[in-house]
């Protein structure tokens, strides 16, 4: 787990979405996503990764993911729905993170592929070998990456973070 003296960034890809005939921004979660999102919340709580601040895309599937993660945390972090996260590149997400107020120790970013994976791989200069291999290989829906940060949010740059954990929590069918 990350050193508690350092800030942490948790990157969560939204849970599995459905593909109804609606604009991409308005796609809801699929049944599997509604099972997996609470599992991601339980994983975060068990891993000691409860956020102080949540930055979430404005897309329906990310907002629904957060709504199902939140009750599992037993905490009430500040939540900011940021339109810049939707369809953001790694560089765009870095810009969002530069705006995080100092004093925020653990930030949860809920976004989309390929930006979330690209951001994690860009920021992680090093880290746990298994976590790095998993993050490079695939970043599926509900995947969680935990990065330890070296300093201030405004100074976060590619290669400066340490990837400490990577998980893909899954809920059980029939729940």
């Amino acid at each position: 787990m990350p050193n508690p003296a350092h800030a942490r960034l948790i990157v969560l890809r939204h849970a599995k979405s459905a593909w109804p005939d609606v604009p991409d921004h308005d796609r809801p979660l699929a049944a599997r996503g509604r099972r997996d999102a609470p599992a991601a919340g339980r994983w975060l709580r068990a891993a000691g990764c409860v956020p102080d601040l949540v930055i979430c895309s404005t897309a329906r599937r990310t907002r629904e993911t957060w709504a199902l993660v939140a009750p599992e945390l037993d905490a009430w972090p500040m939540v900011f729905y940021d339109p810049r996260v939707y369809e953001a590149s790694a560089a765009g997400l870095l810009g969002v993170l530069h705006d995080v107020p100092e004093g925020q120790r653990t930030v949860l970013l809920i976004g989309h592929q390929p930006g979330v994976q690209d951001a994690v791989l860009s920021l992680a200069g090093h880290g746990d070998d298994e976590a790095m291999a998993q993050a490079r290989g695939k970043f599926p829906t509900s995947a969680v990456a935990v990065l330890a940060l070296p300093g201030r949010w405004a100074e976060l740059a590619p290669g400066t973070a340490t990837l400490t954990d990577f998980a893909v929590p899954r809920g059980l069918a029939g729940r």
Side-chain angles (χ1 to χ4, degrees):
M1 286 282 83
N3 179 341
H6 293 186
R8 287 185 297 186
L9 171 62
I10 305 161
V11 179
L12 171 63
R13 182 178 174 197
H14 63 78
K16 181 72 176 168
S17 61
W19 290 85
D21 189 18
V22 297
D24 181 74
H25 192 271
D26 299 330
R27 288 179 24 227
L29 290 181
R32 189 178 99 197
R34 291 190 300 275
R35 289 190 307 268
D36 291 349
R42 290 189 293 276
W43 186 92
L44 290 170
R45 186 182 69 232
C49 293
V50 176
D52 304 312
L53 172 67
V54 177
I55 302 170
C56 185
S57 163
T58 55
R60 179 176 174 183
R61 59 193 177 273
T62 54
R63 290 181 288 118
E64 288 181 358
T65 297
W66 169 243
L68 293 168
V69 166
E72 304 296 332
L73 297 177
D74 197 27
W76 296 266
M78 182 172 36
V79 181
F80 182 61
Y81 297 97
D82 192 329
R84 297 177 297 170
V85 176
Y86 180 69
E87 296 185 336
S89 65
L93 292 174
L94 185 57
V96 169
L97 294 169
H98 283 162
D99 292 341
V100 170
E102 291 308 320
Q104 300 297 321
R105 305 293 291 164
T106 302
V107 173
L108 172 61
L109 175 69
I110 306 174
H112 310 268
Q113 271 292 68
V116 291
Q117 182 179 28
D118 292 346
V120 166
L121 295 176
S122 172
L123 291 170
H126 52 305
D128 177 84
D129 290 340
E130 184 178 336
M132 292 291 289
Q134 289 177 301
R136 281 187 195 106
K138 189 173 183 186
F139 208 107
T141 55
S142 299
V144 180
V146 181
L147 298 128
L149 309 181
R152 298 166 37 95
W153 292 100
E155 297 167 352
L156 186 59
T160 60
T162 302
L163 182 64
T164 61
D165 217 333
F166 186 88
V168 185
R170 294 291 186 220
L172 300 175
R175 262 187 137 178

